[in-house]
Structure formats: C-alpha cells, structure tokens
Amino acid sequence: MYNFEYQKPGALADAVKALGAADAKALAGGMTLIPVLKQRLNQPSVVVDLAKLGLSGITVTGDSVTIGAMTTHATVAASADIKRAIPALAALAGGIGDIQVRARGTIGGSLANNDPAACYPAAALALGATITTNKRAIKADVYFTGMFTTALAADEVITSVSFPIPAKAAYVKFKQPASRYAMVGVFAAKGPAGVRMAVTGSGQGGVFRFTAAEAALASNWSAAALNGISVSADNMMSDIHGSAVYRAHLVGVIAKRAVTAAG
Amino acid sequence: MPQVTLTVNGKTSSVEVEARTLLVELLRDKLGLTGTHVGCDTSQCGACVVHIDGNSVKACTMLALQADGTKVTTIEGIAAADGTLHPMQEMFREHHALQCGFCTPGMVMSAIDLVAKNPQGLSEDEIRHGLEGNLCRCTGYHNIVKAIDASQSLMHAKAAE
Ligand SMILES: Cc1cc2nc3c(=O)[nH]c(=O)nc-3n(C[C@H](O)[C@H](O)[C@H](O)COP(=O)(O)OP(=O)(O)OC[C@H]3O[C@@H](n4cnc5c(N)ncnc54)[C@H](O)[C@@H]3O)c2cc1C
Ligand code: FES
Ligand code: FES
C-alpha cells in the first residue's frame, strides 16, 4: 500500500475541507477502500476517516426510514424498527458479505462506491430513496450515473439516506458464492412511487430499473405477469462468473422470485 | 509518525505507526502477537479475525489508526490467566476441529462472536452461514461446526455464572 496522510476530523465541515485537497479520499468502513489501496489501484494523498462525525443512526417515522451514512450493515440488519417498517431492507443488509464485513461496512460507503454488484443501490433505486449530502438532497433516479460512478462531487460527503416505506417489497439475490456479491440481485417494490424494480449485479452501467417488468406488474402484481418479459443481453456484464446471456436469463428468474417473496 | 493507543488483551499500548499500517501488522509485527494470521490479504479468508469492542472484524482490512481508542482481543487473549482454555478452544480440541491450524485462530474468534451474539441458540445451518467469512482448506468444516455447536451450552452457562 502507498503511504498517505490520515485525518480523523470531529466535524463535518472539517472533513469536507480536508476532502477538498487533491486526491483526498473519504474512509468509512474500509471494506472496499482498504482492499483497493492494498492493490495499489488508488493513491490518495489524504485519507479522511468519517468515523468521528456522528453520522450513524436510524430514524423511522410513519412514512420513511432514514439511515445515517456511517451506519453499519450489521446495525441495519439488526434494527427492530427497520425490520418492522421495511423488512426487505433489513434482510438485504443481513445478506451482505459476511459477519465481519457487516460489522464494518456502511450504507454510505456502499452507495458512494456504487459497485455494479452491490446490494444497497438496488434498494435505493427501487424504493426511490433520497441521498442527503453536506450540500444537497439527491434523488436515487439521478444519483447513480454508471458503474462505480455517482452524482457526488469529490468533496461531497453522504450524511444520510432516506427510504419511503413501501406497501410491499423484497430483495432476492443470486449470490456469487465466493464473495456473496450479487451475480443478479432484484429489488421489487410497490410503494408511494408506484411499482419499481431495480436490478444489480448484471448491468454494464451498474444498477438499473427493469421498466418492462414494472409496466407489467403495475396492472398485475404477480410472478405470472412477468412471463415472457426479459432484458436484453446487450448491456449485461460478462465475466468468469457468468456470460451476458446467462445473466439476462437470471434477471427474469430472480425478478419473479422477488415478486413472489414480496407477497 | 502518527501514534495509536489501544488496549490489546487488557493491556494498553501506545505505538508509532505509518498511516498505511494495517491493524494485523500492528498486532503481529509491533506487538508480537503472531496468533492472528494473514491468509489471503484480500478480505475473504478470515484468518485475521480479532474482536474490536466486542465485534469480530478482519484485522487485514482495517488501518491500525482506525483502531485508536478501541479494545482489541486476539486469540492470545481468550484463555484464562491460569491457562485454562476458553470453552471454544476446548471444544475445537475435543472435536478435532483443526488439521494444519492456519485458519484456527480466526475460526475461533469468529465462532466466539457468533455464539455470544446468539444466546437463543444456533442451528447447524445457522452456524455454517455464520462462518461465511472464514475459509478452511483442510477440515471440510464438519468438525468445526460440531465444535461450535458443542460450545454453545458451555459458553451460555459460563455467561450466566
Ligand atoms: C468479502 C467482502 C464481501 C462483500 N460482499 C458484499 C455483498 O454481498 N453486497 C454488497 O453490497 N457489498 C459487499 N461488500 C462491500 C461492502 O458492502 C462494503 O462495505 C461497501 O461496498 C463499502 O462500504 P464501506 O463503508 O466499507 O466504505 P469504504 O470502503 O470505506 O469506502 C468506499 C468508497 O466510498 C467512499 N465513501 C465512503 N463513505 C462515504 C460517504 N459517507 N460520503 C462520500 N463518500 C464515501 C470512499 O471514499 C470510497 O471511495 C463486500 C466486501 C467484502 C470485503
Ligand atoms: S487475511 Fe484477512 S481476510 Fe484473509
Ligand atoms: S485447519 Fe488448515 S486451513 Fe483450516
């Protein structure tokens, strides 16, 4: 690993200022950033640890669940309030990686990183979440801009994420067995924003909405409504774990399972 | 150089580290606690698992500086002062849950966290899923699962004392 300067500011304004330096990088749970640094894929000048900014915590109201950026996957998975309000979200968090990854990894880090195989982006897009930063509130629809890229500026820090509570929702993941990242993950939701279905793990541009499925489900919320509806293999990822054609097929299968699981 | 102050197995130390020093490097190279192993260095095998403030984490995927002010427990810190093994260690021995032993420190630390956090008891299936972050190249896992299962009643009885 290349060396860098390490800072752990105690105030958001100081963190934002530190991130203004050339090649500065925020550090949350480190479950993605540290492996990247170990491989020397990134050479930050300054690493700004967000741990002391008071950005973790969960607030549930009648119509939304708001999660602080530094809240770990383990905390979300174990939250009785989230299990009651959006059980699919708690289950998604409990299915990320392994116990040790869930003890450190955070929702803010997952959404900032926007790995094409990550789980949280599917929940954010399907539920129509709002990502709040030190500067503004960003709708999920315009937040995810492509594989590993988002609408965030270099010195922008996610502070919290807010999810409208859906009438029903489920996340089903076909796991890559070694890492447990999604080969295909589908988050299906029927909520205030209508019927929405987001797919992760498979799109070349990262998470995307399966609009043909949404249209069919809007008039008939059932797995059978998805018979004959598929995604094109053209924009699917192809790697040692699965070809584009295989992934496109899986999207159809997992989408049905997600609708069934949502009930 | 930056300094990190942390309590490892009950003993508080202040150590100079580089910003890029990993927690596992601090434990092994600076504090001489070589029971914590490095298997993969890619955050997948769990040979490096230690407890930080009561949670099992991968010490190869944490900067030493991130552990500033925390309480760390390593495999060296779980037996009693008189050498009596922790029930999990005892059950690993009894059920022959290791062959080469390389994965064992991480397995034991993960297993202790798993059992301690589930006082309601774990099924065999839940134990297997609870070990997702730990790889063993030797045993085929069966005896590890048996050892963890057997440790449940012992650990819960001890916690209730
Ligand atoms: C073995 C293993 C298995 C995994 N399996 C899964 C899985 O099944 N599903 C899944 O979804 N993920 C998985 N992950 C990834 C895990 O969820 C990570 O926690 C997550 O991707 C990154 O979160 P983090 O808090 O660790 O962020 P970090 O690694 O600290 O940071 C990641 C990136 O986000 C930036 N960042 C972090 N926080 C903020 C913020 N608040 N504002 C702005 N930028 C920020 C950082 O600068 C960095 O670029 C796995 C990881 C490992 C090591
Ligand atoms: S050495 Fe840390 S997970 Fe393998
Ligand atoms: S006993 Fe050899 S790796 Fe597990």
Side-chain angles (χ1 to χ4, degrees):
Chain A
M1 203 189 302
Y2 297 114
N3 208 5
F4 44 80
E5 186 194 329
Y6 172 91
Q7 294 188 13
K8 196 190 271 189
L12 184 58
D14 294 334
V16 170
K17 203 165 150 205
L19 286 169
D23 299 319
K25 203 85 186 132
L27 172 66
M31 292 297 110
T32 295
L33 184 60
I34 293 176
V36 163
L37 294 179
K38 287 208 266 187
Q39 291 177 67
R40 297 193 169 182
L41 294 173
N42 199 308
Q43 187 173 7
S45 56
V46 189
V47 167
V48 183
D49 192 338
L50 308 179
K52 285 257 182 304
L53 305 179
L55 292 181
S56 61
I58 292 165
T59 315
V60 178
T61 64
D63 53 13
S64 73
V65 168
T66 302
I67 305 176
M70 289 295 285
T71 311
T72 62
H73 308 328
T75 304
V76 171
S79 161
D81 287 341
I82 297 181
K83 281 186 194 165
R84 219 174 299 119
I86 316 182
L89 193 61
L92 174 148
I96 292 176
D98 51 55
I99 290 177
Q100 292 73 33
V101 167
R102 295 195 289 274
R104 302 281 311 158
T106 68
I107 187 169
S110 178
L111 291 173
N113 196 50
N114 193 19
D115 188 302
C119 301
Y120 269 125
L125 192 57
L127 293 171
T130 300
I131 291 105
T132 303
T133 73
N134 58 305
K135 291 190 179 136
R136 56 190 169 143
I138 314 171
K139 291 274 177 215
D141 283 321
V142 294
Y143 173 83
F144 300 104
T145 54
M147 184 185 285
F148 292 113
T149 57
T150 67
L152 293 176
D155 63 345
E156 197 165 2
V157 175
I158 299 177
T159 52
S160 68
V161 189
S162 194
F163 298 88
I165 296 176
K168 43 175 95 177
Y171 177 65
V172 174
K173 167 162 80 161
F174 188 90
K175 291 173 196 169
Q176 201 280 84
S179 73
R180 287 164 302 281
Y181 271 103
M183 285 270 299
V184 167
V186 175
F187 200 106
K190 191 174 190 179
V195 169
R196 290 167 65 116
M197 183 175 265
V199 181
T200 188
S202 49
Q204 280 185 13
V207 67
F208 65 92
R209 279 174 67 184
F210 189 179
T211 46
E214 291 176 355
L217 292 168
S219 55
N220 175 12
W221 180 270
S222 72
L226 298 180
N227 285 338
I229 294 177
S230 58
V231 286
S232 157
D234 290 350
N235 295 315
M236 294 283 120
M237 292 193 284
S238 207
D239 56 28
I240 53 164
H241 308 304
S243 68
V245 171
Y246 177 71
R247 278 194 164 87
H249 175 73
L250 261 187
V251 171
V253 174
I254 301 299
K256 284 185 184 176
R257 289 187 192 167
V259 172
T260 305
Chain B
M1 272 210 281
Q3 267 224 334
V4 54
T5 303
L6 73 183
T7 304
V8 182
N9 302 332
K11 188 167 161 247
T12 302
S13 322
S14 284
V15 189
E16 278 196 347
V17 292
E18 284 188 305
R20 63 176 164 182
T21 302
L22 297 168
L23 176 61
V24 73
E25 295 168 338
L26 167 67
L27 295 171
R28 289 178 57 86
D29 304 343
K30 305 247 178 191
L31 300 179
L33 296 168
T34 53
T36 303
H37 292 170
V38 177
C40 65
D41 218 14
T42 55
S43 317
Q44 305 208 320
C45 77
C48 62
V49 170
V50 300
H51 296 177
I52 305 247
D53 294 335
N55 294 313
S56 61
V57 304
K58 293 176 177 173
C60 76
T61 315
M62 196 168 163
L63 301 175
L65 288 168
Q66 286 179 285
D68 190 51
T70 63
K71 285 198 173 64
V72 182
T73 307
T74 70
I75 189 73
E76 289 91 345
I78 58 169
D82 68 358
T84 307
L85 293 181
H86 185 283
M88 189 64 75
Q89 291 173 301
E90 192 55 51
M91 289 302 102
F92 265 62
R93 184 165 75 171
E94 171 137 349
H95 291 272
H96 196 65
L98 56 146
Q99 289 179 24
C100 79
F102 194 87
C103 70
T104 312
M107 282 286 179
V108 168
M109 298 310 284
S110 291
I112 291 174
D113 184 33
L114 181 66
V115 171
K117 291 219 178 92
N118 290 282
Q120 80 290 353
L122 294 157
S123 65
E124 183 194 322
D125 193 52
E126 287 167 331
I127 293 172
R128 287 184 185 276
H129 278 289
L131 293 180
E132 277 165 343
N134 294 79
L135 300 178
C136 175
R137 302 303 300 269
C138 303
T139 63
Y141 302 97
H142 285 306
N143 287 356
I144 294 176
V145 174
K146 272 191 215 156
I148 296 172
D149 190 15
S151 80
Q152 296 196 85
S153 54
L154 298 176
M155 269 182 68
H156 298 321
K158 211 173 150 202
E161 267 170 22

